[in-house]
Amino acid sequence: MLFTAIVPQFINQAAGNVPLQFLLLGIVPLVIGLATDTSWALLAGRARTWITKSPKAMLAFGRIGGLSIIGVGVSVAVSDNRP
């Protein structure tokens, strides 16, 4: 839906080959997304390997994760989001 609403604004009919312009404007975000998602996945894999080697790191990250979840729960419980 987003691309359907936004991409046509960047099409220049005077530049010619409108289908090619649509194709390029659709492929560029896919390539960028693939590159960034692949980078994050590789980084996460390395981080996991590093963390699992150390029991202390596993314990620390487990505690940090638990405290983060508790913090979010507390913030939701005390927030006043009534319309």
Side-chain angles (χ1 to χ4, degrees):
M1 295 282 272
L2 181 67
F3 281 99
T4 306
I6 294 176
V7 169
Q9 298 174 20
F10 295 98
I11 300 298
N12 183 359
Q13 292 181 356
N17 206 347
V18 172
L20 180 61
Q21 291 181 48
F22 269 109
L23 184 66
L24 287 174
L25 288 173
I27 288 177
V28 167
L30 293 175
V31 171
I32 292 171
L34 179 65
T36 56
D37 290 350
T38 301
S39 300
W40 280 114
L42 292 173
L43 182 66
R46 286 191 176 208
R48 182 183 186 279
T49 302
W50 173 73
I51 292 169
T52 55
K53 285 182 181 177
S54 168
K56 286 183 178 182
M58 288 285 292
L59 182 62
F61 276 97
R63 288 181 176 170
I64 291 168
L67 286 172
S68 299
I69 292 171
I70 291 170
V72 169
V74 169
S75 69
V76 168
V78 299
S79 67
D80 188 19
N81 267 348
R82 296 180 201 170

